[in-house]
Amino acid sequence: MSFIGTKKKKLFRIYKEFNKEARKYIHLAVCKAGCADCCIDVGNIDITTLEGLVILDHLRTLPPSQQKALNQRLEGNFWSKQQRKRLRCPFLSEKNVCQIYSVRPFSCRRLFSFEVCGPRGPVLPRKLWETGEKALHKIYKLDEFGYSGHISYVLRILKNPEFHKIYTHKESLPERIEKEIRKYDLMANRNLLNKTRVLRLEKGLTQS
């Protein structure tokens, strides 16, 4: 198995560990099927490049007509996001069903609400938020040489054959690719890893 394949397996292990640790809180959430406030009103669904590879792998297993429709929505989402608009997730159907639920990113997996969402958005216990921060730290560490950002931006850069090859082979980025990354407002996971480490220290969270 390639090192990327190994990382993908480890990513789902982190998801599973989070679910196990968060179970005692999650069953109290008011979220239910058809509720999609967090997929519409949050305004930015962020993913890592590793999660992007998982999503792209999943898309390739779908019927061609569905692939085409989802890619068109991703393209529209990308250009609308360039205008700084708040957008519903491109993978959310008209009936408010997630079309990539089995491979949804951690930013979606960690988000629950313990009150019906209103103008202030989801409400969750501090302990659950901290559990999510610990898991996010592990994901950044796993994908330390990757990048994070808005879902349509990350998927777009991964569709660039040159970037895909460089990223999966852990090679240095040429200046033209670095410009693309900056244009898409992507953040290096190494920088985000340091940021979450500082936050964890400030809040007295245990390092792992």
Side-chain angles (χ1 to χ4, degrees):
M1 181 181 292
S2 67
F3 86 96
I4 287 290
T6 300
K7 283 179 178 289
K8 289 176 182 177
K9 290 188 69 174
K10 290 181 178 179
L11 176 65
F12 278 89
R13 199 174 302 149
I14 294 172
Y15 291 164
K16 186 175 181 179
E17 289 171 356
F18 168 77
N19 286 337
K20 184 178 180 181
E21 293 180 32
R23 192 174 299 147
K24 58 186 174 183
Y25 304 105
I26 292 174
H27 77 280
L28 298 172
V30 299
C31 309
K32 57 185 179 180
C35 172
D37 283 4
C38 295
C39 313
I40 299 170
D41 294 328
V42 170
N44 207 59
I45 297 173
D46 285 348
I47 66 171
T48 62
T49 36
L50 183 59
E51 291 178 310
L53 289 177
V54 171
I55 292 171
L56 290 177
D57 285 347
H58 177 73
L59 291 180
R60 295 186 189 102
T61 69
L62 300 176
S65 59
Q66 190 176 3
Q67 287 188 47
K68 182 179 178 180
L70 289 175
N71 281 322
Q72 287 176 343
R73 294 181 69 165
L74 272 172
E75 186 71 8
N77 185 274
F78 170 81
W79 289 111
S80 294
K81 191 64 181 175
Q82 293 277 289
Q83 300 171 38
R84 305 293 179 184
K85 294 180 179 179
R86 292 174 66 85
L87 305 166
R88 65 188 282 130
C89 176
F91 294 113
L92 185 67
S93 76
E94 288 75 10
K95 295 183 179 180
N96 286 348
V97 175
C98 176
Q99 298 179 82
I100 58 164
Y101 189 79
S102 63
V103 295
R104 67 196 186 283
F106 186 68
S107 61
C108 303
R109 292 172 187 266
R110 69 176 295 187
L111 201 52
F112 297 88
S113 185
F114 292 74
E115 296 179 13
V116 176
C117 291
R120 63 175 178 164
V123 177
L124 67 162
R126 176 184 173 86
K127 288 291 185 182
L128 181 56
W129 180 84
E130 291 176 351
T131 300
E133 287 299 292
K134 290 178 183 178
L136 186 60
H137 182 89
K138 292 178 182 177
I139 293 172
Y140 288 151
K141 190 172 183 179
L142 178 63
D143 196 22
E144 188 172 3
F145 297 102
Y147 298 83
S148 292
H150 182 65
I151 189 167
S152 62
Y153 288 2
V154 172
L155 293 180
R156 190 179 186 87
I157 196 70
L158 281 170
K159 289 180 180 180
N160 179 320
E162 186 178 12
F163 174 81
H164 189 282
K165 180 179 181 295
I166 291 169
Y167 167 62
T168 54
H169 289 77
K170 296 191 293 187
E171 298 174 1
S172 298
L173 294 176
E175 177 62 24
R176 61 184 175 279
I177 298 296
E178 289 183 348
K179 285 182 179 178
E180 287 291 293
I181 287 172
R182 289 195 294 270
K183 184 172 70 175
Y184 297 153
D185 295 326
L186 301 186
M187 294 287 293
N189 289 340
R190 280 171 291 182
N191 295 337
L192 292 170
L193 186 63
N194 292 331
K195 183 178 178 180
T196 59
R197 186 179 292 118
V198 170
L199 287 173
R200 287 157 65 82
L201 288 172
E202 289 177 347
K203 295 179 179 297
L205 302 180
T206 303
Q207 293 286 337
S208 60

